[in-house]
Amino acid sequence: MLEPALLPTPLADCTDETLARAGVELRLKRDDLAHPLVPGNKWRKLAPNLAAAVEGGHRRLVTFGGAYSTHLRAVAVAAAALGLESVGLVRGEELAGRPRNWSLRAAEAAGMELVFLTRAEYREAAGRAGEGPGWRWGPGLVLPEGGSNGLAVTGAAEIVAELDDLGGRDVVCCPVGTGGTLAGIAAGLPRGARALGVAVLRGGEGYLEAEVTRLHREAYGREFDGWRIDHGHHGGGYGRVPAELEEFAAGFERRHGIALERRYVAKLLAAVHDLAGAGAFPPGTRLTAVVTGLPDPVGP
């Protein structure tokens, strides 16, 4: 059995000097505390897909991810708890013969079969999504990279449903990797409130916006406005943590006593502070930053 999530997740006030000078409030939506094994936005996005898998009689989940994919680990754990098989198609055939990093070890320990693909094979497999003569990984429910599909968007919209006091002064913020969490937040907002996504990958201008729009259509059959994506705080690319970002994250942890995941959450909070310091938010704005995941464990 898969343990239930601890919902609603807590809200923590977190305004500091930079934000106070700008007249901006900050609170953290602690989705990193949602579930002990399937943390953060992964629970939000996976829960409706897992329900669909069980209701549809699927015996296997097949999904995609990189070497440190939280999504792969989450799918592996959730599938095992539900008695399902899981297959993870991993980007990078060169990883097959190397010692497993902590993330891939965790996925395998939970029972996931890892299949290492070249980048070209990975793109082709992701494009086929379980269909066509080139699909070699058997029957099952196929989940996209990051778990972002229409069902996932409806799950992420529940974040906003737990924020019952949103209005015209509110901006709900989240990191953006594949767009599913931002799409859900934007779809769930009441009139007047806005959503801000912070891209964690380089070169996503236009592409990520198109993905969010596509996910809105898939989930709800319509588009939503009141959201935008900041592309200036990716830190040099996906998975990169430059020295200045590490310095910001360490300082934030000292001031607020909250450990930060670096590849997504630290970039989000650094962007919020930079934008507030530059006057991007009118005085009186209240920001709610969604903490989407846990810090990596110490070790290789």
Side-chain angles (χ1 to χ4, degrees), residues 141-241:
L141 182 64
V142 180
L143 302 175
E145 184 173 10
S148 290
N149 58 14
L151 285 175
V153 170
T154 64
E158 292 299 312
I159 296 171
V160 179
E162 295 175 12
L163 302 170
D164 58 6
D165 59 345
L166 295 179
R169 73 186 186 109
D170 285 290
V171 182
V172 182
C173 313
C174 70
V176 179
T178 55
T181 300
L182 176 61
I185 289 171
L189 289 176
R191 184 179 299 275
R194 293 158 291 150
L196 170 66
V198 174
V200 302
L201 55 94
R202 184 177 182 179
E205 294 92 336
Y207 167 76
L208 287 175
E209 283 82 358
E211 278 296 287
V212 172
T213 299
R214 181 188 67 78
L215 288 166
H216 279 157
R217 293 190 188 119
E218 181 180 338
Y220 299 103
R222 53 164 291 199
E223 298 177 17
F224 294 83
D225 55 16
W227 60 273
R228 72 179 184 91
I229 300 177
D230 170 82
H231 291 276
H233 293 86
H234 51 66
Y238 180 75
R240 296 193 177 182
V241 183

Side-chain angles (χ1 to χ4, degrees), residues 9-246:
T9 54
L11 274 173
D13 291 329
C14 209
T15 298
D16 58 21
E17 183 178 350
T18 299
L19 299 171
R21 283 199 304 268
V24 173
E25 300 175 31
L26 173 65
R27 57 185 186 173
L28 303 183
K29 179 64 169 161
R30 295 294 307 274
D31 263 29
D32 54 322
L33 305 178
H35 196 277
L37 299 176
V38 186
N41 65 336
K42 302 310 176 190
W43 171 265
R44 303 280 190 183
K45 295 197 287 186
L46 275 177
N49 278 289
L50 294 172
V54 172
E55 291 169 8
H58 292 285
R59 305 285 301 177
R60 167 186 291 203
L61 301 177
V62 183
T63 194
F64 304 80
Y68 288 91
S69 170
T70 305
H71 172 68
L72 287 182
R73 301 194 308 275
V75 169
V77 169
L82 294 172
L84 305 176
E85 298 176 3
S86 63
V87 178
L89 306 182
V90 184
R91 183 175 55 249
E93 66 171 343
E94 71 278 3
L95 301 171
R98 297 179 184 174
R100 302 288 193 258
N101 62 41
W102 66 267
S103 184
L104 295 177
R105 285 200 306 271
E108 282 190 320
M112 176 172 275
E113 177 190 353
L114 299 180
V115 179
F116 297 90
L117 303 177
T118 68
R119 280 148 182 81
E121 290 172 333
Y122 185 92
R123 287 192 298 271
E124 181 182 6
R128 290 182 182 277
E131 300 177 357
W135 184 258
R136 309 192 302 273
W137 297 281
L141 182 64
V142 180
L143 302 175
E145 184 173 10
S148 290
N149 58 14
L151 285 175
V153 170
T154 64
E158 292 299 312
I159 296 171
V160 179
E162 295 175 12
L163 302 170
D164 58 6
D165 59 345
L166 295 179
R169 73 186 186 109
D170 285 290
V171 182
V172 182
C173 313
C174 70
V176 179
T178 55
T181 300
L182 176 61
I185 289 171
L189 289 176
R191 184 179 299 275
R194 293 158 291 150
L196 170 66
V198 174
V200 302
L201 55 94
R202 184 177 182 179
E205 294 92 336
Y207 167 76
L208 287 175
E209 283 82 358
E211 278 296 287
V212 172
T213 299
R214 181 188 67 78
L215 288 166
H216 279 157
R217 293 190 188 119
E218 181 180 338
Y220 299 103
R222 53 164 291 199
E223 298 177 17
F224 294 83
D225 55 16
W227 60 273
R228 72 179 184 91
I229 300 177
D230 170 82
H231 291 276
H233 293 86
H234 51 66
Y238 180 75
R240 296 193 177 182
V241 183
E244 59 270 25
L245 179 62
E246 178 60 40

